[in-house]
């Protein structure tokens, strides 16, 4: 009887090893993350600029240093396994943000890769929920916008989808004098329907203000 019990225990151990997910399985390599590749490239370019003591058009040495510091922390976040971003709305209006749909693996009929959610003023998206970026309405501008940390700031008008890097906390504010929104991060990528399968409608801020906020938020 004791022999049969021993054999049963051995069989159960082998069954667990065969069917359970190994706890020591390798994590996806951050070096293959597109955001990590982009941040590393930008840091290298900024480093070369500083080493050569050359002036980047439209950027002061102080601005170059600030962007280098911000990108260094973003690179570290990606290296330590942070694969999500956070969006905080300080515009005074409701904004639209992009993020992964709940139960994404079960939603085979989904048309778009990312869902469009609405974030009320004063709210931040929840930790560990990946806010991939924000939607820019057709009547709103971004002041001093640049899609590259080495580029000169310019004015961007919607409609557009603005993607942020993983490991970023994006704070969106509104300039009370111009009505343009201001972003606190140096690298934001502009996407269109040719670059990404995101829903990018041609609508105004007034329409967004009529939507019920439904983004997963950080509870106070």
């Amino acid at each position: 009887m004791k022999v049969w019990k021993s054999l049963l225990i051995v069989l159960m151990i082998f069954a667990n090893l065969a069917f359970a997910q190994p706890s020591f399985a390798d994590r996806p390599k951050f070096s293959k993350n597109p955001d990590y590749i982009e941040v590393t490239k930008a840091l290298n370019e900024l480093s070369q600029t500083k080493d050569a003591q050359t002036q980047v058009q439209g950027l002061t040495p102080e601005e170059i240093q600030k962007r280098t510091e911000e990108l260094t922390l973003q690179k570290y976040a990606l290296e330590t396994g942070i694969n999500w971003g956070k969006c905080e709305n300080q515009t005074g209006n409701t904004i639209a943000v992009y993020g992964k749909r709940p139960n994404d693996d079960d939603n085979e009929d989904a048309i778009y890769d990312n869902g469009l959610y609405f974030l009320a003023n004063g709210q931040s998206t929840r930790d560990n929920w990946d806010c991939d970026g924000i939607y820019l309405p057709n009547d709103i501008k971004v002041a001093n916008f640049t899609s590259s940390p080495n580029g000169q700031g310019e004015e961007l008008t919607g409609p557009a989808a603005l993607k942020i890097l993983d490991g970023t906390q994006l704070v969106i504010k509104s300039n009370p004098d111009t009505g343009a929104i201001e972003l606190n991060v140096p690298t934001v990528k502009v996407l269109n329907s040719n670059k990404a399968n995101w829903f990018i409608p041609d609508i105004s801020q007034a329409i967004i203000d009529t939507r019920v906020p439904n983004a997963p938020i950080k509870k106070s």
Side-chain angles (χ1 to χ4, degrees):
M1 193 62 155
K2 291 183 178 180
V3 173
W4 285 109
K5 286 184 177 180
S6 299
L7 287 173
L8 181 61
I9 292 173
V10 171
L11 288 173
M12 290 176 63
I13 293 174
F14 275 108
N16 284 330
L17 289 174
F19 296 105
Q21 181 70 21
S23 59
F24 48 81
D26 292 336
R27 292 186 303 172
K29 293 186 179 299
F30 59 81
S31 59
K32 296 182 179 180
N33 185 321
D35 286 350
Y36 184 80
I37 295 172
E38 183 175 346
V39 168
T40 302
K41 179 181 177 182
L43 278 172
N44 290 338
E45 291 175 355
L46 287 174
S47 177
Q48 292 172 5
T49 298
K50 292 174 63 177
D51 292 343
Q53 296 183 345
T54 57
Q55 180 68 35
V56 179
Q57 183 180 7
L59 294 180
T60 65
E62 291 77 15
E63 289 172 331
I64 293 176
Q65 179 62 31
K66 180 181 178 182
R67 295 186 182 201
T68 300
E69 293 172 356
E70 290 172 330
L71 290 168
T72 297
L73 289 180
Q74 288 180 347
K75 183 172 183 282
Y76 173 76
L78 294 168
E79 289 172 342
T80 53
I82 298 179
N83 58 358
W84 53 276
K86 176 183 284 190
C87 297
E88 180 178 340
N89 180 10
Q90 297 182 13
T91 64
N93 300 96
T94 298
I95 65 172
V97 300
Y98 291 97
K100 299 296 185 293
R101 299 179 302 273
N103 302 321
D104 192 49
D105 292 338
D106 299 330
N107 195 353
E108 297 179 353
D109 296 328
I111 300 175
Y112 300 102
D113 294 337
N114 261 347
L116 194 65
Y117 297 84
F118 300 97
L119 186 67
N121 178 54
Q123 290 183 342
S124 298
T125 54
R126 188 179 65 210
D127 290 353
N128 295 309
W129 183 80
D130 188 13
C131 180
D132 277 328
I134 64 170
Y135 168 75
L136 185 66
N138 59 23
D139 56 350
I140 298 295
K141 299 177 181 179
V142 180
N144 197 30
F145 171 82
T146 174
S147 59
S148 167
N150 300 335
Q152 183 177 5
E154 58 186 17
E155 192 173 70
L156 174 70
T157 304
L162 307 182
K163 182 183 183 299
I164 63 173
L165 300 174
D166 288 340
T168 297
Q169 178 167 313
L170 176 67
V171 180
I172 308 101
K173 297 182 179 181
S174 180
N175 187 307
D177 296 325
T178 65
I181 66 172
E182 299 174 346
L183 310 177
N184 69 318
V185 297
T187 306
V188 180
K189 184 181 298 182
V190 182
L191 300 180
N192 55 43
S193 56
N194 295 326
K195 293 182 179 180
N197 187 27
W198 293 18
F199 179 52
I200 311 175
D202 189 3
I203 58 177
S204 67
Q205 177 62 47
I207 295 298
I208 292 178
D209 287 334
T210 66
R211 301 298 93 184
V212 174
N214 63 347
I217 61 171
K218 181 177 181 180
K219 301 281 179 71
S220 58

